[in-house]
Amino acid sequence: MRILIANDDGYLAPGLTALVRACEGLGDIDVVAPESNASGTSNALTLHRPLNVFTAGGEQRGFRVVNGTPSDCVHVALTGLLERKPDLVLSGINNGANMGDDTLYSGTVAAAMEGYLFGVPAIAFSQAEKGWAEIEAAARVARDIVDRALAAVRERPGPWLLNVNIPNRPDAAALPRVITRLGRRHASEPVIRQINPRGEAIYWIGPAGSAREAGEGTDFFAVSQGRVSITPLQVDLTDHAALPLWHQALVAS
Ligand code: MN
């Protein structure tokens, strides 16, 4: 079994080390992660400069580090760095939730999605709250899900993509797990305008909006009930239901 692990918080993030340690003994593990925090970079690829790869030392010994985005890491790994295609791509464990609309902006989900786009089953893991509290408990949940997913890989080798959000609790491994759909968030908070020391206006992107569609069956609901949320994702953004409507409005004579 070959597993590729990436993240978006950067190679020094505690969530990455915890996930790698939790997967020890599963087979050959390659870690390819961004040099710095690349949260919120979505599926961006670096196209206008080359990428450097170095091998980390210390606690991150053996991790391959890329001065790029999470998608760059998985892309470079799958198309040139690794000798063989992995059986599974894992991403995380992220510092904070990736639920509802977050999944469109998330580098954590994007790293897993890059594997999925290359035909490799993939799982993105996030902790519900920022700050790394109970990260070891979250890593135990991740390991258990990986164990069960590996059995699923043997039965269903085709690519699939799972998005997992884990409450920050010491008993996370004992929490119920539910298969969920994505909820929706309200539009994010307004930008925060400040004046820099040169007297120029600068803008900070505001925090994500609160949950808007968070009813039963959603990822938001599951996590609010103290459950581990597992959402199967797909990539097709087509609004299938609207195809006839737009044909009528814009094409038909
Ligand atoms: Mn992140």
Side-chain angles (χ1 to χ4, degrees), residues 8-9 37-40 94-95 98 108:
D8 80 349
D9 295 323
N37 192 326
S39 297
N94 188 56
N95 185 23
N98 278 306
T108 303

Side-chain angles (χ1 to χ4, degrees), residues 11-241:
Y11 78 105
L12 295 170
L16 178 65
T17 311
L19 181 58
V20 172
R21 287 207 185 120
C23 289
E24 268 171 17
L26 281 174
D28 292 337
I29 295 174
D30 286 287
V31 181
V32 184
E35 185 173 23
S36 53
N37 192 326
S39 297
T41 54
S42 192
N43 300 81
L45 290 174
T46 299
L47 302 179
H48 298 289
R49 61 171 174 83
L51 295 165
N52 296 111
V53 182
F54 70 87
T55 303
E59 209 184 334
Q60 288 75 25
R61 188 155 36 92
F63 291 12
R64 249 80 63 91
V65 182
V66 179
N67 60 340
T69 66
S71 294
D72 286 333
C73 293
V74 175
H75 194 98
V76 167
L78 295 182
T79 62
L81 209 54
L82 302 185
E83 284 173 17
R84 279 172 48 191
K85 191 172 163 178
D87 302 292
L88 188 65
V89 172
L90 305 178
S91 178
I93 300 170
N94 188 56
N95 185 23
N98 278 306
M99 302 191 288
D101 303 10
D102 303 341
T103 52
L104 291 173
Y105 299 93
S106 167
T108 303
V109 173
M113 192 180 289
E114 191 72 9
Y116 171 77
L117 293 173
F118 276 88
V120 183
I123 313 175
F125 293 104
S126 303
Q127 277 196 300
E129 305 285 340
K130 286 184 190 285
W132 308 115
E134 309 301 344
I135 187 65
E136 294 305 326
R140 285 194 292 277
V141 174
R143 171 60 191 258
D144 194 55
I145 289 174
V146 168
D147 283 341
R148 295 182 65 163
L150 287 175
V153 166
R154 284 181 210 108
E155 285 161 27
R156 195 185 160 192
W160 38 259
L161 175 60
L162 300 178
N163 183 44
V164 179
N165 283 275
I166 305 166
N168 301 53
R169 285 174 43 163
D171 61 347
L175 296 176
R177 294 173 199 165
V178 281
I179 304 300
T180 57
R181 62 188 155 84
L182 298 179
R184 297 294 312 276
R185 283 191 188 278
H186 286 284
S188 66
E189 303 287 322
V191 290
I192 296 146
R193 185 179 185 274
Q194 295 178 332
I195 302 298
N196 77 6
R198 282 180 283 280
E200 301 153 343
I202 56 170
Y203 299 88
W204 293 92
I205 297 288
S210 56
R212 172 163 63 87
E213 213 281 81
E216 204 161 344
T218 65
D219 45 5
F220 289 115
F221 185 82
V223 167
S224 75
Q225 300 292 306
R227 296 175 183 150
V228 175
S229 167
I230 305 172
T231 309
L233 299 180
Q234 60 184 5
V235 173
D236 182 2
L237 294 176
T238 308
D239 186 350
H240 289 277

